[in-house]
Amino acid sequence: MTQKVAVLGTGKIGEALLSGMIGAGWAPADLLVTARRRERAEELHARHGVTPVTNAEAAKSADTLILTVKPQDMGTLLDELAPHVPADRLVISGAAGIPTSFFEERLAPGTPVVRVMTNTPALVDEAMSVISAGTHATADHLAHTEEIFGAVGKTLRVPESQQDACTALSGSGPAYFFYLVEAMTDAGILLGLPRDKAHDLIVQSAIGAATMLRDSGEHPVKLRENVTSPAGTTINAIRELENHGVRAALIAALEAARDRSRELASGSKD
Ligand SMILES: NC(=O)C1=CN([C@@H]2O[C@H](COP(=O)(O)OP(=O)(O)OC[C@H]3O[C@@H](n4cnc5c(N)ncnc54)[C@H](OP(=O)(O)O)[C@@H]3O)[C@@H](O)[C@H]2O)C=CC1
Ligand SMILES: O=C(O)[C@@H]1CCC=N1
């Protein structure tokens, strides 16, 4: 039997997921999308051949509903959806912070809910998607969710109690690396390199380091030690990073992201 999947609130994450699913073999005819603005719905149809519908139509005709609106818009979307979602639909939330109980309290009793935190490398099929079951989600629901998010990268099951931490690490994670590249490119300019050359040097170093982290099987400390020659250049840079508290800043930054994820749990506008 064909499984229809609807993405509700198809913005950056929703579109990356759609695109990956189509690339992995899903038929556009089996994919429904909703958007708040008509021109956005038309754009998605033109780009991917998917069918724009209303939120209520999606709830009635898709087997799986993937909700990818901002956390602050989730309450409004659920108010609109709840009367139309039969209890046998799988509801997957891609929103930061919002617990599965938020959905279970608003949808028909027994509705299976799965919470997923993915990240923007979904655009290049290198996402990290972290998956947790709600009260009524079964092994089949988790497997189906893995099949969907597996189209855009890696998946990992975690207890829901770890979702806010995972949001801080991998959900927001790409932003920290982009920030580092931006700062290191600025350093290149300070050292007299043209911006485009500095950018290329840093990006290729990032790709090389990421590939080694993934493929070498070595601990990051060992990989760093291999770059750090006695009385060499790298140790001078590392001393400055330590002097400026970069390690402590990163720990505090991720803790702040985790805390914000917790605050988003209510789906309120604050
Ligand atoms: N961006 C990221 O790196 C990540 C985001 N997330 C989570 O994914 C979710 C989406 O984020 P992102 O894609 O960045 O956000 P976007 O703003 O790009 O996408 C959300 C989309 O939902 C639309 N929308 C809002 N309300 C409704 C509604 N009632 N009916 C239909 N469409 C609606 C918005 O319309 P409009 O364009 O008119 O505003 C927008 O296009 C968030 O919950 C976020 O926490 C998770 C991991 C990473
Ligand atoms: O910043 C945010 O709230 C979203 C969730 C994880 C990444 N971006």
Side-chain angles (χ1 to χ4, degrees):
M1 193 188 77
T2 308
Q3 284 272 322
K4 280 202 186 304
V5 174
V7 180
L8 288 81
T10 317
K12 291 182 283 296
I13 288 291
E15 185 174 7
L17 185 59
L18 267 184
S19 163
M21 289 174 74
I22 293 167
W26 260 266
D30 296 328
L31 299 174
L32 309 176
V33 291
T34 82
R36 194 152 48 181
R37 291 167 292 112
R38 176 196 288 267
E39 62 272 23
R40 175 65 180 154
E42 287 167 359
E43 185 178 71
L44 291 163
H45 173 67
R47 256 189 228 150
H48 304 288
V50 294
T51 309
V53 292
T54 65
N55 289 323
E57 284 165 352
K60 285 179 208 146
S61 46
D63 306 281
T64 301
L65 307 176
I66 307 176
L67 313 187
T68 54
V69 300
K70 294 283 189 199
Q72 294 88 341
D73 290 326
M74 200 57 94
T76 308
L77 176 62
L78 278 181
D79 287 347
E80 185 188 340
L81 275 185
H84 307 286
V85 183
D88 64 350
R89 296 295 188 266
L90 168 59
V91 174
I92 301 175
S93 166
I98 307 215
T100 52
S101 58
F102 182 95
F103 301 89
E104 290 165 355
E105 284 158 12
R106 288 163 177 78
L107 295 168
T111 303
V113 179
V114 173
R115 176 173 168 184
V116 180
M117 177 46 52
T118 186
N119 61 14
T120 56
L123 283 164
V124 292
D125 296 344
E126 288 287 356
M128 182 68 247
S129 302
V130 182
I131 296 174
S132 304
T135 313
H136 310 293
T138 63
D140 282 351
H141 294 127
L142 285 174
H144 186 49
T145 307
E146 283 169 339
E147 191 189 359
I148 292 170
F149 282 84
V152 291
K154 287 194 174 191
T155 63
L156 176 72
R157 293 186 193 187
V158 300
E160 189 170 5
S161 58
Q162 294 176 0
Q163 275 279 352
D164 295 314
C166 294
T167 299
L169 264 72
S170 56
S172 299
Y176 317 142
F177 291 107
F178 298 138
Y179 178 89
L180 264 184
V181 167
E182 192 189 325
M184 289 167 78
T185 304
D186 277 349
I189 290 163
L190 180 81
L191 301 182
L193 295 174
R195 180 170 287 279
D196 58 342
K197 286 209 172 57
H199 175 85
D200 288 353
L201 296 182
I202 296 301
V203 169
Q204 181 55 28
S205 299
I207 291 168
T211 307
M212 288 175 79
L213 282 166
R214 188 186 59 192
D215 297 344
S216 71
E218 294 282 8
H219 193 280
V221 170
K222 173 82 174 114
L223 294 173
R224 183 174 63 73
E225 277 174 4
N226 289 344
V227 187
T228 311
S229 309
T233 60
T234 313
I235 192 62
N236 267 25
I238 299 287
R239 180 180 59 186
E240 288 304 315
L241 293 173
E242 295 295 349
N243 279 344
H244 287 87
V246 172
R247 184 183 298 263
L250 282 169
I251 292 171
L254 270 69
E255 190 178 35
R258 188 276 316 269
D259 292 349
R260 182 58 185 152
S261 182
R262 285 180 177 166
E263 285 170 9
L264 288 169
S266 67
S268 81
K269 301 278 176 195
D270 299 333

